Amino acid sequence: MKFRLKRQEINKDLFIFCLNRMRQDKLSLPAAGKKVVQEMSSILKEIEKNGLPSYLLIKKLKGKLGYGIFLHPEAKPILRGSLIAPYSGKVLLSPQNMGNDSDYAFALMSNLRLTKEEQRKWDPDRSYHPRRLYSVDLDAHKKGNFTRFINHSETPNVEARLVKISGRGEGFSSAPFELIYVAKKTIHPREQLLVCYEGEDKSYWGALKIKPFAMTPKTFMLNASCQIVDQAART
């Protein structure tokens, strides 16, 4: 698989900027539990080696729906609360609502106002405006891992969580913020993994001017031969 970026990619200056803003705004994220951290160590190795864990499959869906991620028919169920993987991509700071929203971007921090010096550094092509709002986004458009192929649903079996990660003793670096995908409920063999792209402001699909295809974990399923079966077409 082409997309094998294990975790978020962020440059040092932006990393420091985010840390300072988190301290300034007194933003404290929940820590990922020990179980999730241990699972992350194993999953990161599989992403680096194979692109996605062996118990998952990537399959082309019908029409313009692109690809989807499924749990292998012979795999064990993924239990509620289990880590799927970190959502990886490049961390960027950019103006909000400028019409350049990526299909694969998640906002880590939003509604940020920058000082004149900060705007000069992070947005040098625009003149200074004290009320312009910025966001820190994690964008998997050009770089990412298999999580970018997990499709949207209003009834998802996967949820996104923004947490802090301690990789101490697990072979990877700690991070004050990391977007991870976790099983929202038990995911059964043959089911498609789905997550809700919308945040509380319900702005994702509206910004893209797209009406999403209605999908549940059972709309498309794998048969014993790992072929996709359209359950709706069978009824």
Side-chain angles (χ1 to χ4, degrees), residues 94-101 111 133 135 203 207:
S94 56
Q96 286 183 190
N97 305 319
M98 293 298 290
N100 58 348
D101 301 289
N111 299 320
L133 296 177
S135 64
S203 63

Side-chain angles (χ1 to χ4, degrees), residues 10 37 41 49 74 109 136 151 172 175 189 228:
I10 181 170
V37 173
S41 180
K49 183 178 179 181
E74 297 181 0
M109 303 171 70
V136 177
N151 286 311
F172 59 90
I228 292 179

